[in-house]
Amino acid sequence: MLRVNRILCNIPATALEFGTVSSIIVQYNSLVSTTGYSATNSSTFANATAWDITITPTNASNKLWYNISTAIGCRYSSGGTSSGQIKLQTNSSGSFVDISNATTTVNSDSLNNQLITSGVHYQAIFDAGSTSAVTIRVQYRESLGNTQAWFGNSASYFDGTRISIFELKV
């Protein structure tokens, strides 16, 4: 077991500061999902609704720190390139919109009908913006066309997609 008594923090301070974990992390929520998704020849994003996570910030000025660990697998029927892509959306404004710079892609070249699976660990930090409940949604797609992509347990037999969200005191 790892025990943390102090954490080095620079959010949004201009110099490094020491603080106790309890003075930085206001609250958190987490989930583990064994749901998987797949996409074929898909240029549009679909919702991974089993991976939705919600938090209600206590202060609109605080930051939200989102983490996802999952798997993305790609296959192309010949020697081409395949791509699986996920992006994050938030409904903090009332309807779901993309979180700026919150997209990640797994590309695999010269596949020759081989399935290549990669572990993906992705983080995003953004403003809470309100004290209303905020849901973070993952969307997925196969982004190159004429290929296949799998996400979560559909990509690999592992112990699930792990998602967490923390409210960080500013």
Side-chain angles (χ1 to χ4, degrees):
M1 174 182 279
L2 176 65
R3 182 178 300 265
V4 178
N5 292 325
R6 294 190 140 326
I7 188 168
L8 192 58
C9 179
N10 190 16
I11 301 172
T14 57
L16 294 177
E17 301 172 338
F18 280 100
T20 63
V21 172
S22 62
S23 69
I24 296 168
I25 297 174
V26 177
Q27 63 173 320
Y28 73 95
N29 191 8
S30 63
L31 66 86
V32 177
S33 174
T34 56
T35 301
Y37 298 95
S38 64
T40 303
N41 303 331
S42 172
S43 60
T44 59
F45 283 96
N47 297 327
T49 55
W51 299 355
D52 287 2
I53 193 165
T54 301
I55 193 166
T56 304
T58 61
N59 186 321
S61 298
N62 285 345
K63 298 286 186 182
L64 298 179
W65 176 27
Y66 176 91
N67 300 273
I68 183 171
S69 294
T70 191
I72 298 178
C74 303
R75 178 172 41 206
Y76 190 83
S77 60
S78 60
T81 300
S82 181
S83 178
Q85 189 174 57
I86 61 173
K87 72 175 179 177
L88 303 179
Q89 291 190 315
T90 178
N91 69 347
S92 60
S93 64
S95 59
F96 282 98
V97 296
D98 294 349
I99 297 172
S100 180
N101 299 315
T103 302
T104 191
T105 305
V106 171
N107 289 318
S108 298
D109 295 325
S110 303
L111 292 176
N112 295 318
N113 207 28
Q114 298 293 317
L115 171 62
I116 304 296
T117 302
S118 299
V120 175
H121 309 283
Y122 190 74
Q123 301 179 53
I125 296 178
F126 48 95
D127 295 330
S130 78
T131 55
S132 298
V134 175
T135 299
I136 308 304
R137 170 167 289 162
V138 176
Q139 290 193 313
Y140 65 93
R141 72 176 179 174
E142 182 287 311
S143 58
L144 291 180
N146 199 30
T147 64
Q148 298 169 305
W150 293 268
F151 306 86
N153 276 30
S154 291
S156 176
Y157 296 102
F158 72 124
D159 63 351
T161 295
R162 297 179 180 277
I163 297 173
S164 60
I165 190 164
F166 297 83
E167 180 184 0
L168 304 176
K169 185 175 183 179
V170 177

